[in-house]
């Protein structure tokens, strides 16, 4: 697993959710006009079907799908099919001093006052944790079970609720993040062979410039998904992978051939000694000439 980024670790330490409302919403037909909300709304579709719009994207929601409506994002429920069971919660991800005075919003942005617009929370769950609007994960049953526990606790709201609700929302977020990670791992396994083919292509053409678009076509993925999966598998972007491989080839030539630094730079695909030296020092921490002197005892001329 990749090490936590500073921003992600900082957020995880700051998470202190507060539930604004929680309920089992069951209706024979579901429609909701365009609006945006100040907080988060997490909805699990237990039964029925929904067609929703979030910003400019239409989503068909089926049982087992989870929707995270995010602060400031316009959305609407266009239509439903069958009786809809939708346990869901409104919550703040971080502890906010004005939590109790901020209501659930049912208006669009043009109908809201400047004060109301200022109530919009920062979308830390989307921007930092990368949780998408629509979540499809294999462990959705665990999410439903925890969501039901939270709804029951909200309905009672005894003196211990403030501790319990924080722990249950944190558990929900944990289950979602782990579910998304598992989905990504499965997706990576599906494309394992094609990513290896691309890596071999990069190594075979290490002295050439291979466009990212061409690499993604070889992998039969979009540029975005190819770049993300390649880095997940190899820990480097395609460009970084090629640069590292070029430097490894250059090191072999420095140790085992009489070629000059300028000739080696050309052989491994660099247009100038300057560009090669800069890349080499960035990866190895020393200049090419210093490397030659250290490992061969010969000073390159």
């Amino acid at each position: 697993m990749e090490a936590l980024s500073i921003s992600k670790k900082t957020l995880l330490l700051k998470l202190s959710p507060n539930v604004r409302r929680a309920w089992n919403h069951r209706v024979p037909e579901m429609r909701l006009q365009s609006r945006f909300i100040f907080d988060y709304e997490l909805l699990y579709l237990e039964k029925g079907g929904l067609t929703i719009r979030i910003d400019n994207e239409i989503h068909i929601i089926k049982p087992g799908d989870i929707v995270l409506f995010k602060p400031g994002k316009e959305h609407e429920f266009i239509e439903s099919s069958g009786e809809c069971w939708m346990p869901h919660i409104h919550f703040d991800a971080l502890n906010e001093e004005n939590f109790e005075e901020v209501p659930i919003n049912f208006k669009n942005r043009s109908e809201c006052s400047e004060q109301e617009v200022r109530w919009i929370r920062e979308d830390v769950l989307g921007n930092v944790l990368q949780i998408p609007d629509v979540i499809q994960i294999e462990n959705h049953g665990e999410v439903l079970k925890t969501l039901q526990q939270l709804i029951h606790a909200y309905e009672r709201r005894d003196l211990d609720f403030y501790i319990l609700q924080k722990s249950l929302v944190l558990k929900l977020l944990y289950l979602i993040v782990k579910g998304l990670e598992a989905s990504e791992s499965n997706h990576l396994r599906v494309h394992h062979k094609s990513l290896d083919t691309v890596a071999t292509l990069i190594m075979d053409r290490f002295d050439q410039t291979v466009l990212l678009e061409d690499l993604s076509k070889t992998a039969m993925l979009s540029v975005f998904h190819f770049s993300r999966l390649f880095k997940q598998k190899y820990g480097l972007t395609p460009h970084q992978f090629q640069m590292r491989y070029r430097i490894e080839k250059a090191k072999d030539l420095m140790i085992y051939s009489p070629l000059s630094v300028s000739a080696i730079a050309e052989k491994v695909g660099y247009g100038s000694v300057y560009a090669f030296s800069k890349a080499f020092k960035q990866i190895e921490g020393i200049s090419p000439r210093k490397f030659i002197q250290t490992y061969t005892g010969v000073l390159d001329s």
Side-chain angles (χ1 to χ4, degrees), residues 5 10-11 14 44 48 61 66 73 84 89-90 97-98 115 166 202 218 244 256 262 272 277 281:
S5 67
T10 300
L11 171 62
K14 289 172 61 179
Y44 181 99
I61 309 302
I66 303 161
K73 267 195 169 185
C84 291
I89 61 172
H90 275 267
E97 290 184 2
N98 64 348
Q115 174 60 53
K166 288 181 186 292
I202 293 173
T218 300
R244 186 184 67 178
Y256 300 112
S262 58
S272 69
S277 297
K281 189 168 185 179

Side-chain angles (χ1 to χ4, degrees), residues 10 41 57 68 89 101 104 109 124 128 132 135 154 156 181 196 209 218 234 243-245 258 267 286 290 299:
T10 300
E41 180 181 1
E57 191 168 354
L68 181 64
I89 61 172
E101 67 184 82
I104 296 173
R109 191 179 291 260
V124 292
V128 182
I135 304 158
Y154 178 84
R156 293 193 306 271
E181 286 179 358
D196 277 349
T209 300
T218 300
Y234 296 104
M243 188 166 73
R244 186 184 67 178
Y245 190 74
K267 273 191 170 293
I286 59 175
K290 183 66 174 176
L299 185 60

Side-chain angles (χ1 to χ4, degrees), residues 199 202-203 205-210 215 230 236-251 254 264-265 268-270 274-285:
I202 293 173
M203 291 187 288
R205 302 183 187 176
F206 70 89
D207 59 342
Q208 305 170 31
T209 300
V210 186
L215 295 175
F230 190 94
L236 300 167
T237 66
H239 173 70
Q240 291 168 336
F241 185 93
Q242 183 183 54
M243 188 166 73
R244 186 184 67 178
Y245 190 74
R246 281 178 170 178
I247 297 306
E248 289 301 317
K249 296 292 288 186
K251 285 160 64 178
M254 289 176 189
I264 291 172
V268 297
Y270 285 92
Y274 172 77
F276 169 66
S277 297
K278 183 179 179 181
F280 190 95
K281 189 168 185 179
Q282 180 180 340
I283 292 177
E284 296 297 321

Side-chain angles (χ1 to χ4, degrees), residues 48 62 66 76 142 144 157 184 262-263 268 275:
K62 59 185 184 300
I66 303 161
E76 67 175 313
E142 294 179 84
L144 174 60
R157 271 178 285 184
E184 285 295 317
S262 58
V268 297

